[in-house]
Amino acid sequence: MSKMAKNSLQFMLARRLTVTVSVFWLAGSVLAGYSMYHEMQEAFDNSLVTTAYRYAPLIDDYLQRHDGGSAQEVLPSPAKGEIRTEDHGDGDGDEELGEDYLMYQVREGGGGLLLRSYNAQENPFEAPLIEGFYNEQDFRIYTAVLLGGTRIIQVAEPLEHRREALFESVMAQFLPIVLLIPAVIIGVIVALRRGLSPVLRVRDAIEERGEGNLQPLELDDAPEEISTIVTAVNRLMEKLDAALSAERTFTAHSAHELRTPIAAALAQTQRLVLELPEDHPGRIRARQTEESLKRLSRLSEKLLQLARAEAGVGTSPTGENQKLGATLGLVIDDLERVADGAGRIAFDARSATALSANIDHDAFAICMRNLIENALKHGSDQEKVMVEVIGSDTVRVSNAGDAVRPEDLDDLTSRFKRSNTKASGAGLGLSIVKTIVGNINGELTLHSPRPGKPDGFMAELRLHQS
């Protein structure tokens, strides 16, 4: 599947869901860490209290057997790495438990130091001799008052040990989250792609259609929200197709019905011109009427072509590429027989032998006739109209003459739009070509001035090949 665009629905949903899940996950972890901190502090404090009261009878017995002890007496205690437990299970043997972080001092009621553990400082703790907890700069101390205040046990734990334990616990909780967030992102993207697949299929079905394809969309397995949209779009396309069909039918019928009376009127006018003497005053009006009827005849022909183009004419009836060189030659030969095109078209028929595309011969002839007629009408009489075949799918028609203003170039393919020129025309030729090219997924590109020239106009027709 193609990479997600940053403004796509899939990307926005993936980003928002990922951020939302991550924020709530981290918030939950922070709350869990906060709760863990208080529970660990409570457990550590409970350990200090338990140690103080469990050591009390042992210390009392020790002092009785050693004449009351002294400030220099240090009770033996295992150092780091010396605490071991025998493994009676399936292990490999004794295992090291580590360092004893708790330390204590035994003091008399007056504050004198009687005993201390090996890891306790030589000077008495600064904690007051009152039952309860006290925080020094580096220690958390619990003071137990025993025997009516004549003996005091102070058990201390380094605050660094608590911070280290809390840090390791929090890291053990947060590290899996850091590793799981990418998995969440991937999971969200995969789930969204599967969930949005009906939307993507509708998008692809619309993108693959030509401008004139108004057939209903088919998406039977779409969820209700998407099927409702598809149904509404299909109804809109049906109404649009009906309106366009009515417009094309009216245009085609009108143009067709006008051809016979226009031809009859033109014939009668031309006969009248021949019958009137040269010096007859009605001969000039007859000539003007003849020119008007010719323009009307050309307009009706263009309207018929436009109706056929909008009806969807374009692609080859077989669906395969058609050889177009002979068709292009016939169009040029026909145009060279009229006064405007006699001797004014430069074309090498040998370059057209490889020309082929998935387009109907008649539709291709309409396109080329309109492009060459435009070049003959609007081009300079001093230079020939150049018809070039590039490769097997591109035809270029160029002419000399005044350049079209850049702001007018894009509007030339609109209906009844003409550049600033005195030449006759209805302004439909390029619109007809653009419509047919759109039907076959081709491309029409206009250049003015001509590439590499200071003036003129060039139309490049790039045809679609199957």
Side-chain angles (χ1 to χ4, degrees):
M1 187 172 291
S2 60
K3 185 178 180 180
M4 289 185 294
K6 290 187 177 180
N7 60 343
S8 68
L9 177 63
Q10 185 174 329
F11 177 82
M12 290 188 291
L13 286 176
R15 181 182 60 187
R16 292 176 183 177
L17 285 175
T18 301
V19 171
T20 302
V21 171
S22 300
V23 167
F24 279 101
W25 202 347
L26 291 174
S29 299
V30 169
L31 291 176
Y34 180 77
S35 176
M36 181 190 303
Y37 168 77
H38 287 281
E39 292 297 327
M40 290 181 66
Q41 293 296 329
E42 183 178 344
F44 285 136
D45 288 347
N46 185 64
S47 176
L48 293 178
V49 174
T50 302
T51 300
Y53 284 99
R54 285 185 178 178
Y55 277 13
L58 300 177
I59 292 172
D60 184 60
D61 179 69
Y62 178 85
L63 291 175
Q64 289 180 2
R65 289 188 290 107
H66 292 78
D67 299 328
S70 67
Q72 288 73 32
E73 286 197 49
V74 179
L75 294 180
S77 180
K80 182 178 180 181
E82 294 181 353
I83 303 178
R84 296 177 179 272
T85 179
E86 185 178 356
D87 187 0
H88 297 287
D90 298 330
D92 296 331
D94 294 345
E95 295 181 357
E96 182 179 309
L97 296 181
E99 182 179 355
D100 184 7
Y101 290 97
L102 296 181
M103 58 191 71
Y104 60 89
Q105 293 180 348
V106 181
R107 303 171 68 176
E108 59 185 4
L113 184 61
L114 298 177
L115 292 174
R116 66 182 176 88
S117 62
Y118 85 98
N119 54 352
Q121 62 189 35
E122 295 182 0
N123 300 322
F125 294 128
E126 296 180 0
L129 304 180
I130 302 174
E131 184 85 19
F133 292 96
Y134 181 81
N135 284 342
E136 283 191 1
Q137 183 176 359
D138 298 322
F139 299 98
R140 173 79 166 169
I141 302 172
Y142 176 72
T143 301
V145 180
L146 307 172
L147 302 178
T150 59
R151 186 172 300 159
I152 298 172
I153 299 178
Q154 290 183 315
V155 183
E157 180 183 13
L159 293 177
E160 178 64 26
H161 173 244
R162 292 195 175 195
R163 287 192 289 266
E164 181 182 351
L166 179 62
F167 177 78
E168 291 178 353
S169 299
V170 171
M171 286 299 101
Q173 180 176 351
F174 276 88
L175 281 178
I177 295 178
V178 174
L179 297 176
L180 285 174
I181 285 179
V184 171
I185 295 175
I186 295 174
V188 168
I189 292 175
V190 171
L192 282 175
R193 285 183 175 180
R194 292 182 177 178
L196 293 176
S197 57
V199 180
L200 299 179
R201 289 200 298 273
V202 171
R203 180 201 64 185
D204 295 339
I206 295 175
E207 284 183 346
E208 292 172 357
R209 290 167 174 255
E211 295 181 359
N213 188 350
L214 296 177
Q215 294 299 315
L217 298 172
E218 296 182 2
L219 198 65
D220 298 333
D221 59 340
E224 181 179 355
E225 295 81 1
I226 304 302
S227 62
T228 303
I229 295 175
V230 171
T231 302
V233 170
N234 286 339
R235 289 175 181 172
L236 178 61
M237 288 197 297
E238 288 177 3
K239 293 179 180 179
L240 181 60
D241 187 35
L244 292 177
S245 297
E247 179 185 351
R248 288 193 295 264
T249 301
F250 174 77
T251 303
H253 287 176
S254 299
H256 181 72
E257 293 298 329
L258 285 172
R259 294 177 71 180
T260 300
I262 290 174
L266 181 59
Q268 293 295 331
T269 303
Q270 290 173 339
R271 182 176 178 180
L272 180 61
V273 171
L274 294 175
E275 292 177 352
L276 290 174
E278 290 290 342
D279 57 350
H280 195 282
R283 187 181 178 90
I284 297 176
R285 289 192 292 273
R287 287 287 188 187
Q288 293 174 346
T289 304
E290 179 185 10
E291 291 300 321
S292 298
L293 289 172
K294 286 181 179 180
R295 287 196 296 271
L296 185 57
S297 177
R298 288 193 294 267
L299 177 59
S300 65
E301 185 66 28
K302 295 297 182 183
L303 290 175
L304 275 175
Q305 292 179 359
L306 182 61
R308 294 191 61 194
E310 292 184 339
V313 65
T315 56
S316 168
T318 63
E320 302 293 335
N321 291 340
Q322 302 289 325
K323 293 291 185 179
L324 302 174
T327 303
L328 178 57
L330 289 173
V331 172
I332 294 175
D333 289 342
D334 186 42
L335 289 173
E336 285 182 334
R337 293 190 180 96
V338 299
D340 290 343
R344 293 187 55 205
I345 303 175
F347 171 64
D348 185 1
R350 293 174 298 179
S351 64
T353 56
L355 183 62
S356 65
N358 185 6
I359 183 172
D360 181 69
H361 286 282
D362 194 19
F364 177 69
I366 292 174
C367 290
M368 296 312 306
R369 188 176 189 88
N370 279 285
L371 292 179
I372 298 173
E373 281 182 348
N374 276 354
L376 291 171
K377 287 178 183 178
H378 305 294
S380 171
D381 295 336
Q382 306 302 319
E383 294 187 31
K384 291 185 176 183
V385 172
M386 300 294 297
V387 180
E388 303 172 276
V389 177
I390 309 300
S392 60
D393 62 348
T394 303
V395 183
R396 293 175 181 171
V397 179
S398 58
N399 60 271
D402 296 334
V404 180
R405 293 182 302 180
E407 58 269 23
D408 294 336
L409 195 61
D410 293 336
D411 294 334
L412 291 182
T413 55
S414 302
R415 295 183 185 179
F416 303 104
K417 182 67 177 181
R418 303 172 65 237
S419 62
N420 295 327
T421 177
K422 297 180 180 179
S424 62
L428 288 173
L430 292 178
S431 176
I432 293 170
V433 176
K434 183 181 178 182
T435 303
I436 293 177
V437 169
N439 294 340
I440 65 169
N441 294 324
E443 182 180 0
L444 175 64
T445 308
L446 306 180
H447 303 273
S448 186
R450 296 169 293 174
K453 299 286 185 179
D455 63 349
F457 182 87
M458 185 181 81
E460 182 179 81
L461 181 63
R462 189 179 297 275
L463 303 171
H464 174 70
Q465 293 184 320
S466 59

